Amino acid sequence: MSDVIAAIATGKSPCAIGILRLSGSGCAEIAGKVFTLDCGKPLSEIPNRKLMLGSLHDRQGRTIDQAMAVYCRAPHSYTGEDTVELQCHGSPAMLAAGLEALLSSGARQAGPGEFTKRAFLNGQLDLTQAEAVIDLIDAETADAAANAAGQLGGALLRKIDPLYDELTNLCSHFHAVLDYPDEDIEDFGLQELADTLHASAAALQEMLATYERGRHLKHGVKAVLLGRPNAGKSSLLNALAGYERVIVTDIAGTTRDTVEEPVRLGSVLLRLTDTAGIRNAGDRIEALGVARSEAAAREAELAIFVCDGSEPLTEEDQRAITAAKAAPHALAVVNKSDLNACMSADELPFDTVIRLSARTGENLSQLQQTIEQWFAGNNSCDGSILTNARQFGAISHAAEAISRAESALRRGITPDAIVTDVEDAMQSLGEVTGRTVREDITNRIFERFCVGK
């Protein structure tokens, strides 16, 4: 990591502010070749973390912007290295010219995520924090952003570290007794092992239990609207989306393919799919649309059956009901409540039936409240919710290893075999945060028991 990397740190669209970022030893000298301070000082000599006014130049030496520069010296920077940021106006053409000048002056184009990677390698961030950076950038709801910000602040690390430390203490105690029998070290007890394993298993299961909510926070809930033609599915999608996303007419079969739209209902993000009306198709194209509708229902976590409350139920409604009931969560919407009712909610085989009008907006809030109750959960979005599949997989592996250790202990297996499973669990937890198992255990032995004094 001795080379200097540079990149445009802001988006590619025109905006008020654009940032050119450099990191690495010598970055101030390279930036100083294309940025001259109004005060006349070399950029490498400006005060730490103080914005200074100057001019940015292109490869030909032409002034292309009046901008600000800030120099953060190692280790007190995001990457832990010397860093420079040039805060410019947000013209993509100007930023590209500025970056080209920096690269011509000795910097290297940064790779994807390389600034954050350097922050991790330099100990500024652990892996949970590094992965939270991209989660924060990609957050589509306030809850998702709050949880990512909590992880960036170390909330998940604060849950894993004490657990990892307890397992490290357990293993280091065992190895110390085994490897240094002549030292005055307290005997390794099976009760200590049992208690630690039990507490660890409970803590891991508590973390794993948050993942479903975390997956919904990060990716949204896959939801589908099902019903016969002209039941009001597309009107409902438009009402929930807040704009005319789908064409709506009184002609049956207007929607002939699936249409997906992200819809925020309070704190829940739905990946909501409108579908072709389910009926006996009149042509091959409509038949393909109906088949896609039923396939979308099989893949959905939430199915919303929509029927026209101003008309009696039909065989086509029954076919849509069957498709909707296959989803893990399903509810019925009796649409067109602004018209005379021709059916009762008791006729529908759903635990939750909501009568509303997609046209007027009546009772849309009840639909939102119901979906929030199902998917928002009671978890506080403070960073302790698992949203990352890699982290979930590693913690699941750790939980399995602890479960094996508990089972072995109950069967009377010798502690050395049990500790092998404990170390396997630690390896998996280390994969979450970036710690190294064997080095940590070795260091803990010498730190805690003063062996070889």
Side-chain angles (χ1 to χ4, degrees), residues 27 87 145 200 223 227 243 268 278 315 328 358 396:
C27 65
Q87 301 184 7
S200 299
Y243 75 106
V268 176
I278 293 179
E315 290 184 7
S396 295

Side-chain angles (χ1 to χ4, degrees), residues 116-117 119-121 123-135 151-152 154 156-157 160-161 388 390-391 394 427-436:
T116 300
K117 181 180 179 181
F120 166 65
L121 293 175
Q124 301 294 95
L125 302 172
D126 77 286
L127 276 183
T128 66
Q129 293 171 306
E131 289 178 305
V133 173
I134 192 62
D135 285 350
Q151 289 194 0
L152 185 57
L156 188 55
L157 180 67
I160 293 176
D161 261 2
N388 184 298
R390 186 193 70 82
Q391 295 168 357
Q427 177 67 44
S428 295
L429 292 177
E431 291 174 4
V432 178
T433 62
R435 298 173 71 163
T436 303

Side-chain angles (χ1 to χ4, degrees), residues 268-279:
V268 176
L269 174 66
L270 294 185
R271 301 291 181 190
L272 186 57
T273 299
D274 186 20
T275 62
I278 293 179
R279 65 175 178 179

Side-chain angles (χ1 to χ4, degrees), residues 141 143-144 213 216-217 264-269 368 372 375-377:
T141 65
D143 278 357
R213 168 61 173 144
H216 293 154
L217 267 182
R264 280 179 287 275
L265 295 184
S267 59
V268 176
L269 174 66
Q368 173 180 319
E372 279 196 292
F375 295 102

Side-chain angles (χ1 to χ4, degrees), residues 293-309:
S293 299
E294 293 176 325
R298 290 191 293 270
E299 297 172 0
E301 297 174 86
L302 168 65
I304 302 174
F305 166 71
V306 183
C307 63
D308 183 345

Side-chain angles (χ1 to χ4, degrees), residues 121-188:
L121 293 175
N122 289 324
Q124 301 294 95
L125 302 172
D126 77 286
L127 276 183
T128 66
Q129 293 171 306
E131 289 178 305
V133 173
I134 192 62
D135 285 350
L136 188 55
I137 292 170
D138 290 341
E140 296 185 66
T141 65
D143 278 357
N147 195 69
Q151 289 194 0
L152 185 57
L156 188 55
L157 180 67
R158 288 190 291 273
K159 278 186 169 289
I160 293 176
D161 261 2
L163 175 58
Y164 186 96
D165 289 343
E166 281 298 310
L167 296 177
T168 302
N169 290 338
L170 183 71
C171 292
S172 63
H173 189 180
F174 172 79
H175 286 295
V177 171
L178 184 67
D179 297 339
Y180 302 96
D182 296 332
E183 295 286 338
D184 185 18
I185 299 174
E186 182 182 353
D187 287 342
F188 184 79

